[in-house]
Amino acid sequence: MPQRELSDPITMRLPLDVLAEVEEIAAICERSRSWVFVRALKAYLAAEGREIRELAQARRDVDEGRGEDLDAVIREMEGAGKGAAA
């Protein structure tokens, strides 16, 4: 497996209870604290982080005129519903 390029070391302060959980998980998994942090950050980026980035992109799209007027979409849907067979 090829080596991944790593950043320079970073420093952060954590609440002691969070650090204790990270250290416990690292010990149970026989891994480093860095391994636990990377996995936790990847999980965050894949879920909440992705949602934040998608919302930012949607805002940029609207600001650049690549959006639809909600009232127009609702009118269109209501019109389509009237012509549909029951």
Side-chain angles (χ1 to χ4, degrees), residues 17-75:
D17 60 323
V18 172
L19 180 58
E21 287 186 59
V22 168
E23 289 178 334
E24 179 182 9
I25 292 166
I28 291 168
C29 296
E30 297 180 353
R31 299 288 191 149
S32 67
R33 294 189 306 189
S34 290
W35 181 85
V36 176
F37 284 124
V38 169
R39 291 191 48 97
L41 286 169
K42 283 184 174 186
Y44 170 83
L45 292 171
E48 188 174 341
R50 187 176 102 223
E51 182 178 338
I52 290 168
R53 291 178 20 233
E54 288 174 351
L55 286 170
Q57 180 62 52
R59 287 186 185 111
R60 285 191 298 272
D61 289 345
V62 168
D63 290 345
E64 295 171 7
R66 292 188 305 267
E68 299 291 332
D69 180 67
L70 178 59
D71 291 330
V73 171
I74 291 171
R75 282 191 302 274

Side-chain angles (χ1 to χ4, degrees), residues 7-12 37 41:
S7 72
D8 292 333
I10 61 171
T11 301
M12 67 178 153
F37 284 124
L41 286 169

